[in-house]
Amino acid sequence: MRALIQDRYGPAEAVRVGDVPEPVPADGEVLIRVRAASLNGSDRENLVGSPFYARLGGLRRPRNPVPGSDVAGVVAAAGSAVTEYAVGDEVFGELAGYRGGLAEYVATPPRLLARKPPGLSFLDAAAIPQAGCIAFKSTRGIAPGDRVLVNGAGGAGGALVIGLAVHLGAEVTAVDRADKADYLRRVGASDTIAFEDEDWAARRGRYDRVVDLVGHRSPFRVHRALRPGGVYLMVGGHARVLLATFAAGWSIRREGKRVKVLAVPQSRADLEAVTALVVAEKAAPAVDRVYPLEEAREAFARLAAGDNRGKIVIEMP
Ligand SMILES: NC(=O)c1ccc[n+]([C@@H]2O[C@H](COP(=O)([O-])OP(=O)(O)OC[C@H]3O[C@@H](n4cnc5c(N)ncnc54)[C@H](OP(=O)(O)O)[C@@H]3O)[C@@H](O)[C@H]2O)c1
């Protein structure tokens, strides 16, 4: 079958389209005929092999050479122990192990998969899983009138975070490159900050919630941007800062402020909940560009350069 193949960690040149054996599903797995897959910031991390957790799937090279975690497709075969899905079912979700999706077929345990709503295209469904679960968890508890800042909002996950926050009644400030400001306003931000020009953390006492997709500031610094009772959630970013935020966050409790790392486990329930909101047009994953599988290296080059505004989707042959 055709697949994107990654033999080493490195720039976009580390991936190429080629042929690999079709996977055979185990008893507890389904085989999905992939119709579309999408890229996340985590695929960029898995491409270059950094931060350290991106090498959990192989220290020197990825053990599973096929990248791609978010897929939508049709069940082509089901192992003997699978009871919840049958051949022909349309499904989507994030793959356990975060790899294998950029191929014509992938075998995976069905526990993370959800049924694709009939009105949702495969391309749109593939754009939801990881970004949707991040958005769903990081916006939980936002109240009408809250001031929310989303740092790193112009990449794969930001549009859904902004969209859900606005849906919950928040006023959203989005931070990213200056040339992504128009895009960020289009997906719902009422204010933007260009990170090259301004340090959002210097805006003292402003936000009820900060969702940080690219955290690189000390936990002792970010809390100053919070209003009393506000919360800073570090979703992604530098490994060193992740560890510091995890270790020190509990000690930052002044004025009811909280600073913490937000773990977003892969979750079918969260995927179904956020997808219901997408179907009801309360929020949308912004699709940046759609590439055919044969041009997946170009898609990775765009992702690696950070030129995408929202989700890059790969359509399978
Ligand atoms: N907590 C969990 O359990 C969990 C689960 C899944 C994923 N994650 C993580 O969550 C993150 C997901 O984010 P994503 O997929 O939306 O990432 P993404 O597509 O890489 O987007 C990040 C955005 O931030 C921008 N950016 C870079 N440096 C910045 C800076 N200094 N200030 C502000 N913005 C900056 C990037 O621009 P450029 O591209 O121009 O650099 C890009 O537009 C990833 O790090 C992933 O590993 C966490």
Side-chain angles (χ1 to χ4, degrees):
M1 66 171 182
R2 301 296 281 166
L4 190 70
I5 302 166
Q6 180 188 0
D7 300 316
R8 60 187 170 94
Y9 295 111
E13 289 71 31
V15 293
R16 65 189 161 83
V17 179
D19 293 309
V20 296
E22 196 178 298
V24 178
D27 286 352
E29 292 183 330
V30 289
L31 183 71
I32 302 173
R33 169 84 167 92
V34 182
R35 297 286 303 274
S38 78
L39 304 186
N40 294 292
S42 56
D43 292 299
R44 173 161 52 177
E45 296 166 351
N46 291 342
L47 174 72
V48 296
S50 174
F52 70 93
Y53 54 74
R55 293 193 185 223
L56 292 177
L59 204 55
R60 297 187 55 198
R61 66 178 68 86
R63 275 191 296 277
N64 179 346
V66 179
S69 70
D70 285 6
V71 299
V74 182
V75 174
S80 57
V82 175
T83 51
E84 48 194 327
Y85 295 115
V87 172
D89 286 347
E90 297 183 345
V91 295
F92 71 120
E94 196 174 7
L95 299 171
Y98 299 95
R99 297 188 72 89
L102 285 161
E104 288 181 86
Y105 292 91
V106 64
T108 186
R111 68 184 168 84
L112 298 171
L113 300 174
R115 285 179 193 278
K116 184 181 79 60
L120 199 63
S121 70
F122 286 104
L123 295 175
D124 285 339
I128 297 175
Q130 187 182 111
C133 289
I134 288 175
F136 188 69
K137 261 206 122 174
S138 65
T139 57
R140 199 174 285 170
I142 286 177
D146 277 0
R147 287 193 203 156
V148 173
L149 181 137
V150 184
N151 189 38
L160 272 170
V161 181
I162 295 171
L164 288 191
V166 170
H167 166 62
L168 293 168
E171 189 185 292
V172 178
T173 299
V175 187
D176 211 295
R177 273 166 30 182
D179 64 1
K180 295 187 182 180
D182 287 347
Y183 159 77
L184 293 169
R185 286 187 183 273
R186 268 203 311 281
V187 296
S190 46
D191 186 19
T192 61
I193 297 175
F195 68 78
E196 310 96 315
D197 302 336
E198 188 187 336
D199 175 8
W200 60 265
R203 292 188 175 186
R204 287 180 170 240
R206 286 283 272 278
Y207 301 103
D208 298 289
R209 180 168 307 207
V210 172
V211 177
D212 201 344
L213 299 166
V214 286
H216 64 272
R217 292 172 174 81
S218 155
F220 296 100
R221 190 141 186 279
V222 293
H223 84 281
R224 295 187 205 148
L226 297 173
R227 278 171 150 177
V231 58
Y232 167 90
L233 299 175
M234 180 170 182
V235 178
H238 291 194
R240 185 175 37 81
V241 178
L242 204 68
L243 293 174
T245 304
F246 187 71
W250 63 270
S251 66
I252 301 168
R253 297 261 166 180
R254 266 160 282 172
E255 300 173 298
K257 298 177 186 178
R258 284 164 300 151
V259 173
K260 49 186 193 176
V261 173
L262 181 74
V264 186
Q266 297 176 315
S267 157
R268 176 196 286 171
D270 287 359
L271 175 59
E272 287 174 341
V274 71
T275 301
L277 292 166
V278 171
V279 170
E281 299 185 0
K282 305 296 183 200
V287 173
D288 171 64
R289 282 191 190 173
V290 180
Y291 291 81
L293 177 63
E294 294 297 324
E295 292 171 20
R297 180 190 275 185
E298 285 81 349
F300 263 87
R302 183 167 172 82
L303 182 77
D307 289 338
N308 58 304
R309 285 144 176 76
K311 299 284 303 196
I312 293 175
V313 180
I314 314 288
E315 196 169 19
M316 297 302 152

